[in-house]
Amino acid sequence: MNILIVEDEDEIAQLIKLYLEKEGFSCETCRDGNTGLQLFRDRQPDLIVLDLMLPGLDGLEVCARIRQQPGSKDPYILMLTAKGEEIDRIIGLSTGADDYMVKPFSPRELVARVRALLRRSLRHSAQSQVYRTPHFTVDLDQRTALRQTGEQEIGGQAVGLLDLTPLEFDLLATFMSYPGRVWNRTQLVERLWGEDFFGDERVVDSHIARLRKKIEPDPSHPSFVKTVIGVGYRFEDD
Ligand code: CA
């Protein structure tokens, strides 16, 4: 597993590298957003630890550009922020980060979060299963999601392969594993991040919003991922 650390504060970058290498991960560090993007393209890391405040391109911009990159392996992205208030910005902007941590953080907790994210990818690659509903097919083995019917373009995407981040994919796969089932946020967090999730469950809402933009003809009146008021979410496709 390869990890890219994009962090302009050397001490923090070296500390993260030290702890992750102790766990057997192979790590590379860089100090600015442009180099980070270049290394992402060259090395195709499995996970990126990405600081929010960086010289040049900031972390949000780097994150957005990585998520827009077609055809490349989609890495997990763990964002680092200096201030608690920025969490609202990260969640609100639906940047495409999979998880975030506020500085100062314990390196042990960071290692735990990284392991939790990467464990999800291992768990999923061990499965071989396909879920089908009238509009969608999700292949857990290939990790591909397909929208097979519908006349309208959605979020600029025509019928065909959906361009989803790893978490959006897992969310859709989870919903499609039990169409009609009502999921609360805690259940979705456990499915997506595992039981050792330490963060804020509201992060689920932002991934739901982004998934809706990609699969719903009208994201403000969803026809597939429905809100169940006071409880959570339900996927319907019939
Ligand atoms: Ca910084």
Side-chain angles (χ1 to χ4, degrees), residues 7-9 51-54 103:
E7 165 65 85
D8 57 320
E9 283 164 84
D51 189 31
L52 185 66
M53 296 301 286
L54 292 167
K103 296 175 185 176

Side-chain angles (χ1 to χ4, degrees), residues 58-148:
D58 73 5
L60 292 178
E61 186 59 32
V62 172
C63 192
R65 293 198 192 183
I66 286 172
R67 290 306 187 217
Q68 285 157 11
Q69 195 88 13
S72 55
K73 189 169 92 182
D74 238 328
Y76 290 101
I77 298 179
L78 172 59
M79 291 275 264
L80 304 178
T81 99
K83 293 188 222 105
E85 307 91 75
E86 284 172 334
I87 288 173
D88 286 335
R89 220 174 125 217
I90 294 176
I91 294 176
L93 283 179
S94 305
T95 49
D98 296 301
D99 199 0
Y100 57 84
M101 294 188 79
V102 180
K103 296 175 185 176
F105 52 82
S106 112
R108 280 176 216 288
E109 189 182 338
L110 180 128
V111 168
R113 300 268 194 110
V114 164
R115 295 181 75 95
L117 284 171
L118 291 173
R119 206 165 35 237
R120 295 175 45 247
S121 73
L122 290 177
R123 195 170 65 216
H124 288 297
S125 63
Q127 288 172 312
S128 171
Q129 211 172 344
V130 174
Y131 298 130
R132 279 196 189 83
T133 63
H135 288 82
F136 302 98
T137 300
V138 161
D139 184 327
L140 296 182
D141 195 27
Q142 304 289 326
R143 289 193 62 82
T144 53
L146 186 76
R147 188 163 67 93
Q148 60 250 14

Side-chain angles (χ1 to χ4, degrees), residues 132-171:
R132 279 196 189 83
T133 63
H135 288 82
F136 302 98
T137 300
V138 161
D139 184 327
L140 296 182
D141 195 27
Q142 304 289 326
R143 289 193 62 82
T144 53
L146 186 76
R147 188 163 67 93
Q148 60 250 14
T149 56
E151 294 73 44
Q152 276 171 285
E153 272 203 355
I154 297 172
Q157 301 184 56
V159 168
L161 276 184
L162 292 166
D163 184 17
L164 304 178
T165 66
L167 268 166
E168 289 159 7
F169 175 87
D170 291 339
L171 200 48

